[in-house]
Amino acid sequence: MSVKIGNIDLGEFPLLLAPMEDVSDPPFRYVCKQGGADMMYTEFISSEGLIRSAAKSRQKLDIFEYERPIGIQIFGSDIESMREATEIATLAGPDLMDINYGCPVKNVACRGAGSALLQDIDKMVKMTEAVVKATHLPVTVKTRLGWDDNTKNVEEVAERLQDVGIQALTIHGRTRAQLYKGEADWTLIREIKRNPRIKIPIFGNGDIDSPEKAANWRLEYGVDGMMIGRAAIGYPWIFREIKHFFATGEHLEGPTLEERVEACRTHFTKSLEWKGPKVGVFEMRRHYSNYFKGLPDFKHYRTQLVKEENIETIYALLDEITDKYSNVTPVSEMA
């Protein structure tokens, strides 16, 4: 059975790329799409920023045909602002709209947005209903188990948000209080999937970092698909590796050094094209160590890459890495 969100057919068990702030931009999404992601989301976008036409917020609306299906994710604390932002984002032409009720960071949650709405379900429901009515697109939601261990209310959230029209729900298996610490707990996600009232697709998120875990948790928790975040940073091949393991029960051989360098080079080139040379060079620096994780004695190159400002020199360094490590065992076997 295919999983569908509205009229979007995602196949039998879709793997979604999580919306990650300062990570899930178009250059990163490009390499993840190449790596096998079935659906992706933009970085989360401030509703207030969209309404004010803040340059950074508006730039996050950029989507490209090769990315489809793709959702624009918005967050905010004011219902009217979320409604207006939905109308603006809809004009950018995504395939769906997503609401962030899961971000735990202080400058979001402490302003009444993101996971803060888990403390006010009535407001969350009204906000969601306003977003649903403001667009012709399917609306989905990403959230957490609850605010803390004493208020795990995601079962109520799932039922009430389905009632006002959301068409899929992604649940991160942690509370807001946990942030990204400890282990994700998917047992509540399983209960929601088993709830006979719930008819919409339920996606699990949190700690999926290997093909074995994805396969085991698919069976154990019965979700309709999985959203992968941190494990894809510097390793966009995780999507194709999980799919191969699902299909065969065997591990797909990890990326060669040449594939790693090529993905990094593509990511860098796209970053320059989308952000311009100055920002493109600067923001790529957070990715190098992930692409080359596990290479022996790599610190020297990493230091050069994160300090270098000249574009041609960076490309030359990537060529040099290819030559230097050409006979090294593939990184994925050592990581």
Side-chain angles (χ1 to χ4, degrees):
M1 289 285 290
S2 281
V3 175
K4 293 185 177 180
I5 301 176
N7 61 359
I8 305 167
D9 189 331
L10 296 174
E12 184 182 351
F13 190 86
L15 300 178
L16 285 53
L17 173 65
M20 294 177 282
E21 175 68 353
D22 292 329
V23 175
S24 300
D25 56 16
F28 179 72
R29 297 199 301 263
Y30 183 89
V31 294
C32 287
K33 188 71 173 182
Q34 299 292 104
D38 294 305
M39 189 168 78
M40 307 186 291
Y41 295 85
T42 62
E43 301 171 76
F44 67 12
I45 306 174
S46 162
S47 57
E48 299 289 346
L50 282 184
I51 293 167
R52 294 195 315 269
S53 293
K56 188 173 182 183
S57 294
R58 289 280 178 163
Q59 188 186 31
K60 289 180 182 179
L61 291 176
D62 286 356
I63 54 177
F64 301 89
E65 284 303 310
Y66 62 76
E67 299 184 292
R68 297 189 185 281
I70 185 165
I72 289 177
Q73 189 188 72
I74 59 173
F75 74 97
S77 60
D78 181 76
I79 293 173
E80 178 58 22
S81 295
M82 287 288 281
R83 186 194 66 76
E84 287 185 50
T86 300
E87 293 179 346
I88 295 167
T90 298
L91 295 174
D95 298 289
L96 58 87
M97 291 294 306
D98 188 75
I99 310 172
N100 182 314
Y101 292 138
C103 181
V105 300
K106 281 186 178 180
N107 66 353
V108 172
C110 293
R111 293 179 181 175
S115 58
L117 273 301
L118 286 163
Q119 298 178 104
D120 190 344
I121 306 302
D122 289 342
K123 182 178 179 181
M124 179 192 282
V125 171
K126 290 176 183 174
M127 182 178 286
T128 305
E129 187 172 25
V131 169
V132 169
K133 289 179 176 178
T135 182
H136 66 282
L137 298 169
V139 174
T140 62
V141 162
K142 184 170 189 279
T143 190
R144 289 184 169 232
L145 303 178
W147 181 256
D148 56 28
D149 284 342
N150 298 316
T151 56
K152 290 183 178 178
N153 51 9
V154 71
E155 290 178 279
E156 177 188 354
V157 167
E159 290 189 359
R160 293 184 66 183
L161 296 192
Q162 177 181 261
D163 289 346
V164 294
I166 71 165
Q167 297 193 39
L169 178 65
T170 299
I171 305 166
H172 183 103
R174 290 181 174 86
T175 63
R176 188 271 168 178
Q178 283 181 273
L179 300 176
Y180 294 98
K181 298 172 185 173
E183 293 184 357
D185 178 3
W186 285 40
T187 53
L188 259 181
I189 304 175
R190 178 173 56 204
E191 292 308 306
I192 290 164
K193 181 58 196 168
R194 289 177 175 175
N195 181 345
R197 273 206 63 203
I198 298 298
K199 308 299 183 186
I200 59 175
I202 300 296
F203 302 122
N205 174 230
D207 292 357
I208 295 297
D209 56 10
S210 70
E212 295 98 330
K213 187 180 283 187
N216 290 338
W217 287 18
R218 178 182 182 179
L219 289 173
E220 185 173 353
Y221 297 109
V223 291
D224 296 294
M226 293 174 174
M227 180 178 281
I228 296 169
R230 288 176 290 171
I233 299 175
Y235 204 85
W237 305 276
I238 189 166
F239 300 99
R240 76 179 188 190
E241 290 183 7
I242 289 173
K243 288 178 179 181
H244 184 82
F245 194 82
F246 283 169
T248 67
E250 298 177 355
H251 281 279
L252 184 67
E253 192 169 328
T256 63
L257 176 69
E258 289 76 12
E259 285 181 292
R260 289 211 180 223
V261 173
E262 185 57 32
C264 183
R265 183 191 300 276
T266 299
H267 192 164
F268 180 51
T269 301
K270 295 285 183 185
S271 187
L272 296 174
E273 291 171 355
W274 187 63
K275 301 173 183 177
K278 185 175 181 181
V279 178
V281 167
F282 177 76
E283 294 197 353
M284 188 65 193
R285 290 173 178 172
R286 65 170 64 97
H287 294 284
Y288 294 122
S289 60
N290 291 303
Y291 275 114
F292 301 112
K293 183 180 179 182
L295 281 182
D297 303 316
F298 191 75
K299 185 177 180 180
H300 169 68
Y301 283 111
R302 187 185 66 81
T303 301
Q304 284 186 283
L305 286 166
V306 299
K307 286 184 176 180
E308 186 56 58
E309 296 181 3
N310 183 277
I311 293 168
E312 294 309 315
T313 304
I314 292 171
Y315 281 126
L317 282 167
L318 293 175
D319 289 338
E320 192 176 322
I321 290 165
T322 304
D323 294 337
K324 162 104 174 169
Y325 292 97
S326 58
N327 296 317
V328 174
T329 306
V331 181
S332 58
E333 295 180 15
M334 303 183 303

